Amino acid sequence: MKNTYLNFTKKKTIEISEEELSLESIGENDVAGKTVFSMISAGTEINACFLDVFDWGYPRKAGYTVVFQVEHKGSKVQGIEIGDLVFCMAPHQSYQIKNCQAVLKLPEGLLPEHALFARLAGVSMATLSRTSVTPGERVLITGLGTVGLMAMHIYSHLGYEVIGVDPDSERRKTAEASGFTEVYEKVPFDKYDKTIGLALECSGNEAAVLDCCNIVRPHGEVSVVGVPWKPYTDITAYSLLHPIFYNYVRVYSGWENDLPLENSKFVHESMNKNYRLAMKLIHEGKLIRNDLYTIKPYTEAQQAYEDILDKKEKTLATIFSWD
């Protein structure tokens, strides 16, 4: 059968390509089916694939989060039936074959386009397995793209006092429209200096990391959630190390791939655990509004990535339809 996929062939260039896909490759623990929706990661995909800032090379597939409908299942697959909608991490392509442990069945009634956001919510949720800062304390979130906005919702629902920061006025308006009142253009030192327990830096900007280290309380924590794709400033290591040393700051990577995909007997934190919680909150109507995303046909991929890069896309997320 033909599998259609987005093929990144060189910098800023995407082609719609096809390849042969054999259903005989479906294993006894696999599920397979047609993609319904896939979502662009405006950070990872733009930088790593569309711009190839680390020179990883071309051609290549890319993708972040997908929902597909199961058409085939292996003989040992349990808990997933033909016709079910499932969520997973996978490339932008028309057909998916995945190990059943790598997919999550959508709760009944959850819109597939909404389920995609569980992947973005799960990025900041990885910090929950590392932090010693408990609910009731203040959490600062810098960078209010999709990951940052999902973080504001997640940590607020878990009982933290959430404060958001982004220099982009449209992102601040989006956060405010979601019900948040503590949203600022710059890190609010005048109001919260040395009173923040945990800072989630979601922009990937080293100046924001420095601000986070300066505003957290003694023994506060800074989780570097946003990827530092390139230098944005000429900040020295000294500038960063000074507040870390004198303010006793704990700084660590917020990369979610440090977690295993699934729980096991002696490991009780995982990406799937976080995705399940995120989908539950989404299903309850606590994270997503319809005006947060745009749905486009996959055939418009080239323009979609260009619009994100050039900041012409007005919504936080772009979703591809594979009908």
Side-chain angles (χ1 to χ4, degrees), residues 265-282:
K265 183 177 181 180
F266 298 108
V267 178
H268 306 291
E269 302 296 333
S270 68
M271 287 192 283
N272 278 348
K273 176 186 175 182
N274 291 336
Y275 297 150
R276 290 187 190 98
L277 175 56
M279 279 199 282
K280 178 179 182 294
L281 292 173
I282 292 169

Side-chain angles (χ1 to χ4, degrees), residues 142-144 165-172 184-186 203:
T142 54
L144 304 182
V165 176
D166 199 298
D168 188 295
S169 61
E170 291 303 315
R171 288 184 173 183
R172 294 199 304 276
Y184 300 91
E185 180 180 0
K186 298 178 180 179
S203 72

Side-chain angles (χ1 to χ4, degrees), residues 41-42 45 53 75 94 109 115 129 157 165 213-214 258 263 267 280-281:
S41 166
E45 286 191 67
V53 297
S75 59
S94 61
S129 67
H157 284 300
V165 176
C213 288
N214 277 311
D258 182 50
N263 292 8
V267 178
K280 178 179 182 294
L281 292 173

Side-chain angles (χ1 to χ4, degrees), residues 77-152:
V77 175
Q78 297 181 352
I80 297 175
E81 304 300 333
I82 305 302
D84 284 346
L85 292 171
V86 294
F87 157 96
C88 67
M89 294 178 281
H92 297 289
Q93 59 186 40
S94 61
Y95 209 85
Q96 308 289 342
I97 300 176
K98 301 290 289 185
N99 184 283
C100 62
Q101 296 297 315
V103 306
L104 295 176
K105 181 179 175 180
L106 268 61
E108 187 70 28
L110 177 60
L111 293 176
E113 57 269 38
H114 287 186
L116 296 168
F117 283 87
R119 174 75 175 94
L120 285 302
V123 174
S124 68
M125 292 174 74
T127 299
L128 293 169
S129 67
R130 305 177 182 117
T131 185
S132 62
V133 178
T134 55
E137 285 214 56
R138 292 187 177 119
V139 171
L140 179 76
I141 298 168
T142 54
L144 304 182
T146 313
V147 169
L149 182 63
M150 292 298 101
M152 290 190 75

Side-chain angles (χ1 to χ4, degrees), residues 17 21 50 66 80 85 101 111 149 164 189 205 215 237 251 258 264:
S17 298
L21 192 65
F50 200 55
V66 164
I80 297 175
L85 292 171
Q101 296 297 315
L111 293 176
L149 182 63
F189 287 99
N205 188 302
I215 199 171
V251 182
D258 182 50
S264 61

